[in-house]
Amino acid sequence: MTNPTHFLDLHEVSKSDLRTMIDDGIAVKKARAGFPKGTADTGRSLEGHTLAAIFEFPSTRTRVSFDMAMRQLGGDTMVLNSADMQLGRGESIADTAQVLSRFVDAIMLRTDNHSKLIELAENASIPIINGLSNNSHPCQLMADVMTFEEHKGPITNKVVAWSGDGNNMVTSWIHAAGQFDFEFRIACPKELTPDQRALDWAKEMGASVYVTQSAEEAAAGADCLVTDTWVSMGDDAGDRHNMLAPFQIDEKLMEKAATDAIFMHCLPAHREEEATAAVMDGPQSVIFDEAENRLHAQKAVLRWCLGKIGE
């Protein structure tokens, strides 16, 4: 039996495979233009396949996009939460992985603990997909790179600037910078710096990743400004709002970026906190294209995991 193809973190997938998935996501999106949302894609490449989507906390974009991705690819989705499973009553992750491997073709897990994904992948005989963890959010980054390239062309050698908390999204942006060869600047308070393991990986890879405590310095001439909520899952709000107030993306900060820069946010957002409504609803914002592209990028991830790209 061959080893399953997991999608757990961007730095664990080859550059060529990531590029293949981005190109596939763009192609399947173009091929669907004008189709009713409920109709299947031409080819129905995942017909007969079922995804178990497990959610340990609420979700809008991840849940709907994975479900619709499977439907449009001709497959099926079984949406589960730990409270409905024996997993929530003490059954081990290892046993759960082996049991579900007998029933479905792939598992997507959205969890608060990245170690659960690792244990699931170590014991499953089918692909495991990281739908989000406290460490990273690789599916979101695939949609973000796809969105950037739709609006700005190839992301290679471009500049993306982050302003806000050095959270799990930053980790995946760091991985993306190394894998897609763009410059990534991170502006954040010294108390909320990114995961050191990700920064060490970037240094080892020779990636262009820089950390500063000045939002203006990071934004200067950037092709894209991006942020996320100030209080992520499991975080204690504490003094975060005071620490992060200087990192809000407003119209003044957008003016520091390139004149044709775009604004990204993975959503959900707290308007007037991490970004102002004027920026989120302004002409440089691509946040809803970004949200839509979760659907198309995840189709490519699913097809890659199941060996169906090109079919």
Side-chain angles (χ1 to χ4, degrees), residues 69-241:
M70 285 299 293
R71 293 186 192 200
Q72 290 181 3
L73 291 171
D76 294 297
T77 310
M78 180 181 298
V79 177
L80 306 166
N81 66 70
S82 56
D84 295 332
M85 303 168 62
Q86 293 298 332
L87 182 63
R89 296 175 174 84
E91 184 168 26
S92 71
I93 294 172
D95 287 353
T96 299
Q98 293 185 69
V99 169
L100 290 181
S101 293
R102 303 295 182 97
F103 296 149
V104 299
D105 300 288
I107 300 170
M108 187 284 300
L109 175 61
R110 182 179 173 96
T111 182
D112 61 350
N113 192 331
H114 196 80
S115 65
K116 294 179 184 178
L117 278 161
I118 302 302
E119 187 174 356
L120 200 64
E122 288 174 345
N123 290 278
S125 57
I126 58 176
I128 305 300
I129 298 170
N130 178 0
L132 180 145
S133 76
N134 59 330
N135 279 17
S136 58
H137 199 355
C139 286
Q140 179 66 55
L141 258 295
M142 295 299 283
D144 290 351
V145 171
M146 179 176 167
T147 305
F148 184 101
E149 295 199 339
E150 284 181 331
H151 287 270
K152 301 282 294 175
I155 198 169
T156 300
N157 297 324
K158 296 297 200 313
V159 177
V160 176
W162 175 277
S163 187
D165 182 16
N167 61 12
N168 54 350
M169 280 296 303
V170 172
T171 295
S172 286
W173 272 107
I174 291 170
H175 292 157
Q179 297 291 62
F180 291 99
D181 301 312
F182 61 87
E183 181 177 319
F184 185 47
R185 305 173 187 164
I186 307 159
C188 60
K190 62 181 180 181
E191 300 90 344
L192 300 173
T193 53
D195 187 324
Q196 189 60 47
R197 293 168 298 179
L199 293 174
D200 290 343
W201 174 86
K203 184 177 181 180
E204 183 180 340
M205 289 289 293
S208 299
V209 175
Y210 308 97
V211 181
T212 177
Q213 293 173 32
S214 168
E216 290 76 14
E217 180 183 351
D223 298 291
C224 173
L225 298 192
V226 60
T227 190
D228 190 12
T229 55
W230 286 349
V231 182
S232 300
M233 57 182 184
D235 288 336
D236 180 0
D239 196 39
R240 280 174 175 266
H241 287 80

Side-chain angles (χ1 to χ4, degrees), residues 22 25-26 29 139-155 173 224 262-265 284-297:
I22 293 294
I26 292 171
K29 180 179 181 179
C139 286
Q140 179 66 55
L141 258 295
M142 295 299 283
D144 290 351
V145 171
M146 179 176 167
T147 305
F148 184 101
E149 295 199 339
E150 284 181 331
H151 287 270
K152 301 282 294 175
I155 198 169
W173 272 107
C224 173
I262 58 175
F263 168 74
M264 285 188 179
H265 189 307
Q284 293 169 282
S285 175
V286 297
I287 60 175
F288 297 113
D289 290 345
E290 187 183 359
E292 178 191 345
N293 283 339
R294 289 291 303 278
L295 169 65
H296 308 295

